[in-house]
Amino acid sequence: MDVIKSQQISSKPIEKVIVHPLVLLSIVDHYNRVARDTRKRVVGVLLGTSFKGTVDVTNSYAVPFEEDDRDPSIWFLDHNYHESMFSMFRRINAKEHVVGWYSTGPKLRENDLNIHGLFNDYVPTPVLVIIDVQPKELGIPTKAYYAVEEVKENATQKSQNVFVHVPSDIAAHEVEEIGVEHLLRDVKDTTISTLATEVTGKLAALKGLDARLQEIRSYLDLVIDGKLPLNHEILYHLQATGPDEIPVEFWKSACKTGLE
């Protein structure tokens, strides 16, 4: 079922959704506690503020949710639990209000529009943020949507709601950045790292290695061209690094230049 409206909507009520890292950590924790190693998804409420078309998601909490995999029309979201939780959150921070809901998808599902309609009772234009808790490629693991009514050209056809994609980004306040840095620094178990984290680390290491090899190559080129004097100490350290990283022709040329 195609629930995403492809054409651009004029005068968008929402231009951008910003998700804070502590929200991502909370959602990943929710998924690991409830649906890890299963095909299920978890659902919860997003809290934050909305100003001039930008939705700032600063907090979240989990909500009991169940759905029938074989029949998308059968689902249950405990809105009484949600209202009790929101009442307690309001006592802590009255500035935060309901801005929408989240799902670990990892994609839109057939019953998402029906679930989305439930949040119209709490916010005029709720957002749906799908969090990919097991990303298979580099990039921002969030996709944000809001619903609009699609007007049919034929008056006999009934209008329906469709999802419209809206750009999303990850941002943090200074206090959050410090907290996340301390948290990641304390993570020692490499088995819990995601594929994206592993790939990012390997890419960073390869980029660093490439930069150093380029620097070595530039030095050897200058030595061969006679623009720099041969430094035996540098060559000694390069030999200690291993000949596998440095082409053989450079060693021969550099050594020959030094002997001359």
Side-chain angles (χ1 to χ4, degrees):
M1 184 183 68
D2 184 13
V3 295
I4 304 179
K5 194 174 181 61
S6 59
Q7 62 265 36
Q8 295 292 327
I9 305 296
S10 59
S11 64
K12 290 183 178 180
I14 299 176
E15 298 288 343
K16 187 177 184 180
V17 175
I18 299 175
V19 182
H20 287 242
L22 293 181
V23 175
L24 296 178
L25 292 174
S26 176
I27 295 173
V28 170
D29 176 69
H30 181 197
Y31 175 81
N32 287 333
R33 287 186 290 104
V34 176
R36 186 176 183 179
D37 297 328
T38 69
R39 299 182 62 183
K40 294 182 178 180
R41 62 170 173 167
V42 295
V43 167
V45 177
L46 298 175
L47 303 177
T49 58
S50 180
F51 182 70
K52 291 185 177 181
T54 298
V55 177
D56 199 30
V57 183
T58 55
N59 212 337
S60 67
Y61 55 84
V63 173
F65 174 77
E66 293 290 340
E67 62 184 340
D68 192 331
D69 294 335
R70 292 170 294 182
D71 188 354
S73 63
I74 301 176
W75 56 274
F76 169 74
L77 188 147
D78 195 338
H79 63 277
N80 292 323
Y81 178 88
H82 150 60
E83 292 175 359
S84 298
M85 286 292 293
F86 179 60
S87 176
M88 290 187 287
F89 270 84
R90 283 295 297 269
R91 298 176 184 176
I92 300 174
N93 190 345
K95 294 182 179 180
E96 291 180 342
H97 60 266
V98 176
V99 295
W101 61 293
Y102 69 80
S103 164
T104 56
K107 298 180 180 179
L108 285 172
R109 300 198 183 185
E110 190 173 350
N111 56 2
D112 282 349
L113 277 173
N114 296 328
I115 301 172
H116 196 78
L118 180 66
F119 286 87
N120 286 323
D121 296 335
Y122 306 102
V123 56
T125 308
V127 297
L128 162 60
V129 178
I130 296 181
I131 311 294
D132 189 355
V133 295
Q134 295 178 325
K136 294 180 173 57
E137 58 184 19
L138 293 175
I140 298 176
T142 60
K143 293 182 179 179
Y145 305 90
Y146 68 93
V148 298
E149 185 177 3
E150 183 181 31
V151 180
K152 300 292 184 178
E153 295 181 358
N154 190 340
T156 60
Q157 294 180 329
K158 185 179 179 181
S159 62
Q160 63 179 5
N161 289 336
V162 294
F163 277 124
V164 176
H165 180 265
V166 60
S168 60
D169 198 3
I170 309 297
H173 300 307
E174 184 177 358
V175 176
E176 289 178 307
E177 291 179 355
I178 296 173
V180 172
E181 287 177 1
H182 280 283
L183 178 62
L184 295 178
R185 185 181 61 183
D186 293 336
V187 175
K188 302 297 183 182
D189 187 3
T190 57
T191 61
I192 64 174
S193 62
T194 62
L195 176 61
T197 303
E198 293 176 4
V199 172
T200 301
K202 290 180 180 179
L203 283 175
L206 289 173
K207 287 180 179 179
L209 176 61
D210 180 69
R212 286 163 176 79
L213 290 177
Q214 291 294 340
E215 187 177 356
I216 293 171
R217 183 189 184 95
S218 298
Y219 168 75
L220 293 177
D221 282 333
L222 292 173
V223 172
I224 294 172
D225 294 339
K227 296 179 181 179
L228 280 179
L230 180 65
N231 189 315
H232 292 282
E233 185 177 357
I234 294 178
L235 287 182
Y236 171 78
H237 287 296
L238 292 180
Q239 289 175 338
T241 302
D244 294 336
E245 290 83 358
I246 302 172
V248 176
E249 60 269 17
F250 279 108
W251 288 115
K252 292 181 178 179
S253 300
C255 292
K256 183 179 179 181
T257 304
L259 292 174
E260 293 176 350

